[in-house]
C-alpha cells in the first residue's frame, strides 16, 4: 500500500535567517524606544492633566490677590507641559508605526512567508516582554552603580539598547520559524505489482 511522508516545514534559507535577525534587531530597537516613550508620556500626560485641573480649580476659587497671579502662571505652565508631553506621545506612536513598517519591508524583501503577520506577532510578543524587561534593565543598572542618578538615567538606556537588540533578534527569528511554509509532501509511490497488473490482464486477454 502506498504511503505519503509527513508534511514538514520548509527550512529558512540563510538569507531569510539573517534578514529575520537583522529585522528583529532594528525594528525592536525602534519599537522599544517608542514603547517605553509611549508609557512614560502617557503617565506624564495624565499627571500633567491632573495637575492642571488642580491648579485651575485653585485659580478660579481665589480672588485677585498676588497668590492668584502665581497660580495663573502655574496654570499656564501646566498647560504648556501638557502639550509638550502630548507631542512626545504622538512621537512615540510614530516610532511604533515605523518599527512595523521597517520589519515588514525587510521581511518582505527577504521573501519570507507572510512577513506582515510575522511582524505583528513579533510586535505583540515584544510589547508584553518589554514591560518586564524594562524593570530588569532598571534593576541591572542600579546593581552596576551606586549612584542614584547614573544608574537610572545613564546606564538603563545603554542596557536597554543592548538587550533590545538581542531580544528583538531572537523574537523575530522565532516568529519567522513559526511562519515557515509547509512542504507539499511527496507523491504517493506506485507499487510495482499494481503497475504491472494492467499489462498482465492485457496479455491474458490476447492469448
Amino acid at each position: 500500500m502506498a504511503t505519503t511522508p509527513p508534511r514538514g516545514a520548509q527550512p529558512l534559507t540563510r538569507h531569510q535567517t539573517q534578514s529575520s535577525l537583522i529585522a528583529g534587531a532594528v525594528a525592536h530597537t525602534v519599537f522599544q524606544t517608542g514603547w517605553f516613550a509611549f508609557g512614560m508620556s502617557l503617565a506624564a500626560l495624565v499627571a500633567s492633566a491632573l495637575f492642571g485641573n488642580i491648579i485651575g480649580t485653585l485659580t478660579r476659587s481665589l480672588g485677585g490677590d498676588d497668590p492668584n497671579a502665581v497660580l495663573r502662571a502655574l496654570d499656564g505652565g501646566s498647560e504648556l507641559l501638557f502639550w509638550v508631553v502630548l507631542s512626545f506621545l504622538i512621537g512615540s506612536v510614530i516610532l511604533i508605526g515605523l518599527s512595523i513598517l521597517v520589519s515588514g519591508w525587510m521581511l518582505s524583501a527577504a521573501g519570507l512567508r507572510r512577513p506582515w503577520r510575522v511582524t505583528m506577532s513579533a510586535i505583540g510578543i515584544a510589547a508584553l516582554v518589554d514591560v518586564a524587561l524594562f524593570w530588569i534593565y532598571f534593576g541591572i543598572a542600579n546593581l552596576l552603580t551606586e549612584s542614584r542618578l547614573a544608574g537610572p538615567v545613564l546606564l538603563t538606556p545603554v542596557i536597554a539598547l543592548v538587550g533590545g537588540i538581542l531580544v528583538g533578534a531572537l523574537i523575530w527569528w522565532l516568529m519567522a520559524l513559526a511562519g515557515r511554509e509547509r512542504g507539499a509532501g511527496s507523491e504517493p509511490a506506485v507499487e510495482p505489482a499494481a503497475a504491472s497488473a494492467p499489462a498482465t490482464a492485457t496479455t491474458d486477454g490476447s492469448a
Side-chain angles (χ1 to χ4, degrees), residues 7-12 16 111-113 176-184:
R7 297 176 61 172
Q10 297 292 334
L12 296 176
Q16 290 174 337
L112 205 69
R113 181 172 178 263
L177 286 177
R180 288 175 297 173
E181 185 176 2
R182 298 293 176 179

Side-chain angles (χ1 to χ4, degrees), residues 53-189:
N53 289 334
I54 294 174
I55 295 300
T57 301
L58 291 176
T59 302
R60 290 189 297 270
S61 64
L62 296 176
D65 299 329
D66 289 338
N68 191 30
V70 174
L71 289 175
R72 282 200 302 270
L74 290 176
D75 190 16
S78 65
E79 184 177 356
L80 176 62
L81 179 62
F82 174 84
W83 289 109
V84 171
V85 173
L86 182 61
S87 65
F88 275 100
L89 186 65
I90 296 174
S92 66
V93 173
I94 294 175
L95 286 178
I96 293 174
L98 181 62
S99 68
I100 296 174
L101 294 177
V102 168
S103 173
W105 176 78
M106 294 184 68
L107 296 180
S108 298
L112 205 69
R113 181 172 178 263
R114 296 178 179 176
W116 296 103
R117 177 176 292 186
V118 171
T119 294
M120 297 310 299
S121 299
I123 288 291
I125 294 175
L128 297 177
V129 172
D130 286 343
V131 174
L133 288 178
F134 174 78
W135 298 106
I136 294 176
Y137 298 150
F138 186 82
I140 294 176
N142 283 332
L143 290 176
L144 294 178
T145 179
E146 296 180 355
S147 173
R148 296 294 181 181
L149 180 63
V153 177
L154 300 179
L155 285 182
T156 300
V158 176
I159 297 175
L161 176 62
V162 177
I165 292 174
L166 298 177
V167 171
L170 177 61
I171 292 176
W172 262 253
W173 175 64
L174 291 176
M175 290 300 99
L177 286 177
R180 288 175 297 173
E181 185 176 2
R182 298 293 176 179
S186 302
E187 293 295 330

